[in-house]
Amino acid sequence: MARIVALEDARSFDGGWLRDQVLHPDPEVRRQAVLALGRIGRPEAVEPLVTALVSDEAGAVRSTAAFALGIVEDPLPEEALGALEAATGEPSGRVREKALEALGRKGGDRQRQTVLAQLGALVAASGYSDRREDVEASRRRTAWDEARFALFALPRLGAGAEASGLPAVFGEGGAPRTNWWAAAWSAAQLAEPTLIPLHRAWSASADPIVQALGVRGLGRAGARVDPRSGDGLADEVALFLDQPDAGVRMEAILALTALASAGHPAPEAVGRRLVAGLDDPDPRLRRAALAALSAMDHPEAADALLDWTGDADPGTRAAAFRALHRQDEDGFRLLMSGWSDPDPAGRAAIANQLGAVEDARVRDFLIHALLGDEDPRVRVEAIEGAGRIEAALVRGGSEPHLETQAALAAHLAAADPFERAAAARALGRLGVRLAEVRAAALAD
């Protein structure tokens, strides 16, 4: 056992010794060897793992082999995927669960159908509707774990081009087949517009967890709906900003942000409610409200945002600056013209937040005011931010800005390794070669 652990740590098969241990007479040694093969993750591990999954007499070894196949590094060959599909019909519930989890990680279109079929049968046969126990005690084994594993696997596989198998799992129209939180979560992750009526039903639940997930689904699925359809989704979601449960309010803010980013107009009352949310005792909600005000137009929020630019928390005041740029660009520029922050955490936060603003003047501010900061953490954030803005501007049709490219390239020789890595990432996003930057600089 000690040798297996050492080989796993060294990422070595020690010739064929580790693979041979899947045939050891002791089932615990076989289980540990199978787990090590998966964690090492090389393609050579697949064959012994399939052998263990298909033929080992111990259920613990088979379930571990299924899990291990899900964490190997490369795509699985058809033989391994077929073995995992067959394992979903195993007598052992643990083997079925781990096979479903692995299919979620490694499967494709065919495996999606396998998971959907398994889920449909479970929904039809089980009584897990309205279950909450595994929210409070997720480590305890329950009779509905298999359904939970399958529901968690499905979003990784996607809904499919036609989403044809989803009604059997989730329901049709506004009638969910189950009000279990795991189903509402899975449907929200899929972000499938055809599930919007179900999200409406879940968002009306008396259970705050299911309600929050229903609101999340409205935002994620609604963001994929053409905003010209006039569906009024933002108006629906805005009603949840007044809910007493903080989790529901948070999901409402995030959903409104997603809808606004996708072009759905937000009702006028949303601005006032978001401004009121800036006084929420929960700091996560305050930050979410600030992020929302960065994604939608509510100029009446500008005065309140000015107050928050002086907040004691660096992240909060930086988010307020970013939101102010959206609501009052002239006021933002006036404020930034005399901006300074003695706290390096505040300067780093400003660079991080403003890096999401597609504005050439903000890019220039990051280059001239923060790229030469004395603190390397600030420089890293400024490099990342300026690079993101420049990449967005170029994608939008602007000519590449050679001064920005040269400024970023200068940090490839920085003493700080994180600074060098940030510069390399930024230039990589721009598709810039160092030789090109140097040639342009010499030509100038």
Side-chain angles (χ1 to χ4, degrees), residues 110-275:
R110 194 184 75 198
Q111 288 71 42
R112 180 195 304 110
Q113 296 308 313
T114 298
V115 173
L116 282 169
Q118 192 89 340
L119 263 173
L122 289 166
V123 170
S126 70
Y128 66 67
S129 180
D130 299 316
R131 292 291 186 184
R132 277 283 307 280
E133 290 87 341
D134 58 338
V135 174
E136 287 83 21
S138 60
R139 293 182 181 274
R140 188 178 71 233
R141 183 154 181 79
T142 67
W144 49 91
D145 283 348
E146 183 179 349
R148 179 161 52 83
F149 273 94
L151 286 165
F152 287 179
L154 190 55
R156 295 194 184 107
L157 294 166
E162 299 178 358
S164 56
L166 299 184
V169 172
F170 297 112
E172 295 185 80
R177 290 189 179 275
T178 171
N179 290 316
W180 191 24
W181 71 270
W185 178 89
S186 181
Q189 297 301 109
L190 284 168
E192 171 55 47
T194 60
L195 298 180
I196 286 176
L198 294 174
H199 296 308
R200 286 194 178 102
W202 283 317
S203 68
S205 172
D207 182 331
I209 291 178
V210 176
Q211 184 179 48
L213 291 169
V215 174
R216 178 187 296 182
L218 286 174
R220 292 192 175 188
R224 296 180 60 188
V225 173
D226 188 338
R228 294 171 296 183
S229 65
D231 50 29
L233 276 171
D235 297 84
E236 283 186 61
V237 172
L239 299 175
F240 294 96
L241 291 172
D242 296 326
Q243 287 294 309
D245 184 82
V248 175
R249 297 200 304 277
M250 171 65 86
E251 292 297 344
I253 294 172
L254 296 176
L256 284 167
T257 306
L259 290 169
S261 298
H264 290 259
E268 291 184 12
V270 166
R272 293 192 297 274
R273 287 172 175 168
L274 289 173
V275 170

Side-chain angles (χ1 to χ4, degrees), residues 313-335:
D313 175 61
T316 299
R317 60 180 182 264
F321 273 109
R322 176 182 168 188
L324 185 63
H325 179 276
R326 176 71 182 238
Q327 308 306 336
D328 182 5
E329 194 170 331
D330 291 337
F332 167 84
R333 298 196 188 289
L334 182 63
L335 195 61

Side-chain angles (χ1 to χ4, degrees), residues 253 273-275 277-278 284-294 323:
I253 294 172
R273 287 172 175 168
L274 289 173
V275 170
L278 297 177
R284 297 171 304 164
L285 284 163
R286 294 198 299 269
R287 288 193 290 269
L290 287 167
L293 288 168
S294 301

Side-chain angles (χ1 to χ4, degrees), residues 8 11 32-43 45-46 49 63-76 84 98-99 101-107 156:
E8 179 188 323
R11 294 181 61 81
Q32 191 67 46
V34 161
L35 185 59
L37 287 169
R39 286 174 171 168
I40 291 172
R42 298 211 305 266
V46 172
L49 289 176
S63 66
T64 304
F67 170 79
L69 283 167
I71 61 173
V72 295
E73 293 174 355
D74 294 331
L76 292 179
L84 286 169
K98 293 304 179 183
E101 182 180 32
L103 288 174
R105 293 179 183 275
K106 296 294 182 179
R156 295 194 184 107

Side-chain angles (χ1 to χ4, degrees), residues 14-28:
D14 194 11
W17 183 88
L18 182 57
R19 291 193 295 271
D20 291 343
Q21 301 318 297
V22 301
L23 303 175
H24 195 281
D26 185 338
E28 182 55 25

